[in-house]
Amino acid sequence: MGKSSKDKRDLYYRKAKEQGWRARSAFKLLQLNERFDLFSDIERVVDLCAAPGSWSQVLSRELFQKQDKKNAKIVSVDLQPMVPIEGVTTIQADITHPKTLQEILNVFGGEPADFVCSDGAPDVTGLHDLDEYIQAQLILAALQLTTCILKPGGKFVAKVFRGRDIDLLYAQLSYLFEQVICAKPRSSRGTSLEAFIVCLGYKPRAGWQPKLELNKSTEEFFRGSGIGKAENMQYLELPEDERLIAKFIACGDINDVDSDATYTLDTLDKIQSLNPVQLPTAPPYKRALELKRLGQANSKRV
Ligand SMILES: C[S@@+](CC[C@H](N)C(=O)[O-])C[C@H]1O[C@@H](n2cnc3c(N)ncnc32)[C@H](O)[C@@H]1O
């Protein structure tokens, strides 16, 4: 396979390199914004699970370059180190750890966020049930953090996989937001279960003080929140009256490229291959290469 083989199989990958985005995911956020106008009236933004940083790049260009918001603050959090982006504070941390919330609040000087987004995905094991479970835990961690930091009326967007129990999540969210929409940007492959929940108009639950604490389970966190049966995480089968089928909206221009199609680069006048915009900072293969250099690759498990 030639160097430009992936460019042909995935034109968004190619376009990302042409336009200077660190990942093709940038187009997902851009297409979500085209449909839901996410970037208007926002100054304090949290980008969870942000590495390598294409969503943060989109946010930085939008707030600092296009809207010229000098007071805007963007905080990006990931387990992986991130190469700096103009105007973005990066925090290397676990979004499931309570102290991460305090670190974000410190950057905002204690002020709430206007917009929280999360494109989080765990390392896939290939065991579907386990992968789906870990992904669900990551979304709940993002949601817990969001309820502690988002201003009333604020927006929340997160990646989901439309698995078996997704209506439970929609139901939980519908108690917390005025609108809950399941959106599929054109740049997200049609063959993938990936979608994005777009939650608009945060409505904090009256009398509920969400508080992140170490060793507190998700169930304990939501206790007292009054988000219906969904408050009790044991209920995977919701009663009929609490089921919520979120509106499903495809977004992105119909004339945008198709993420499931293969294109020929020469007909598109894109014959030259391009290098990635940002190489991974801490790829898992780095250690393996070090051991190989030292001639120890076969003697140790890496
Ligand atoms: C699909 S990538 C995000 C891509 C990013 N939105 C972009 O545009 O460049 C998913 C990220 O989730 C991060 N992640 C997974 N679990 C996490 C956790 N518990 N805390 C923080 N980041 C996490 C991974 O390290 C990975 O960088």
Side-chain angles (χ1 to χ4, degrees):
M1 267 195 272
K3 203 176 168 192
S4 57
S5 159
K6 192 168 173 197
D7 290 9
K8 293 182 210 165
R9 279 180 286 124
D10 183 350
L11 212 58
Y12 282 104
Y13 173 74
R14 170 74 190 198
K15 273 166 63 117
K17 291 192 288 183
E18 286 172 358
Q19 295 178 20
W21 304 118
R22 293 181 181 182
R24 68 190 293 292
S25 329
F27 295 107
K28 299 176 190 170
L29 186 59
L30 287 165
Q31 289 170 349
L32 289 167
N33 175 57
E34 269 169 35
R35 181 66 180 75
F36 300 103
D37 190 23
L38 299 170
F39 303 154
S40 62
D41 308 325
I42 59 169
E43 285 218 333
R44 284 179 300 276
V45 179
V46 186
D47 181 9
L48 298 173
C49 303
S54 76
W55 280 25
S56 298
Q57 284 181 294
V58 168
L59 292 161
S60 164
R61 286 191 200 180
E62 177 65 33
L63 296 191
F64 296 115
Q65 290 177 20
K66 282 200 195 160
Q67 298 187 23
D68 197 23
K69 283 191 171 155
K70 299 208 167 43
N71 295 328
K73 289 204 164 94
I74 303 168
V75 183
S76 302
V77 185
D78 202 286
L79 289 171
Q80 306 286 336
M82 272 173 69
V83 173
I85 297 170
E86 197 190 334
V88 177
T89 305
T90 54
I91 299 176
Q92 187 177 356
D94 186 344
I95 69 157
T96 66
H97 198 289
K99 83 173 192 303
T100 305
L101 169 68
Q102 194 49 53
E103 287 189 49
I104 300 169
L105 281 168
N106 290 346
V107 179
F108 290 162
E111 294 291 315
D114 305 311
F115 177 41
V116 180
C117 55
S118 172
D119 189 24
D123 286 340
V124 175
T125 65
L127 302 169
H128 294 311
D129 284 353
L130 183 62
D131 290 338
E132 217 176 286
Y133 175 78
I134 299 173
Q135 175 68 20
Q137 293 307 308
L138 209 53
I139 296 161
L140 286 175
L143 178 62
Q144 289 178 63
L145 203 142
T146 300
T147 56
C148 294
I149 203 171
L150 193 63
K151 72 167 191 194
K155 310 166 203 181
F156 172 59
V157 168
K159 172 155 67 198
V160 289
F161 288 103
R162 285 164 297 147
R164 224 179 7 202
D165 303 314
I166 195 71
D167 57 348
L168 176 66
L169 179 69
Y170 295 152
Q172 287 162 339
L173 290 167
S174 69
Y175 285 93
L176 296 165
F177 292 89
E178 275 155 23
Q179 286 186 65
V180 178
I181 300 139
C182 175
K184 179 83 175 171
R186 199 163 158 77
S187 49
S188 170
R189 291 186 186 86
T191 46
S192 152
L193 283 181
E194 175 188 86
F196 292 84
I197 33 160
V198 177
C199 306
L200 307 173
Y202 178 48
K203 320 176 275 189
R205 303 293 294 165
W208 179 52
Q209 303 277 341
K211 203 157 172 248
L212 282 175
E213 280 168 51
L214 212 57
N215 301 328
K216 194 174 180 182
S217 69
T218 311
E219 212 177 315
E220 286 163 333
F221 177 89
F222 283 107
R223 199 165 288 155
S225 62
I227 56 172
K229 287 263 178 3
E231 180 183 325
N232 184 340
M233 301 290 155
Q234 301 301 328
Y235 277 86
L236 287 183
E237 294 291 333
L238 280 181
E240 206 54 42
D241 59 334
E242 286 203 21
R243 292 182 77 87
L244 182 86
I245 311 289
K247 203 189 262 183
F248 183 87
I249 296 184
C251 47
D253 194 300
I254 191 81
N255 296 316
D256 280 348
V257 293
D258 180 348
S259 49
D260 289 297
T262 298
Y263 293 82
T264 47
L265 293 188
D266 41 0
T267 55
L268 292 164
D269 201 19
K270 296 173 192 301
I271 302 153
Q272 214 180 358
S273 66
L274 294 174
N275 288 326
V277 171
Q278 180 63 59
L279 290 170
T281 46
Y285 52 79
K286 204 170 167 183
R287 177 90 182 114
L289 288 176
E290 264 168 35
L291 290 174
K292 194 172 172 199
R293 237 187 330 266
L294 297 169
Q296 296 171 0
N298 296 327
S299 56
K300 282 188 186 166
R301 289 193 65 202
V302 291

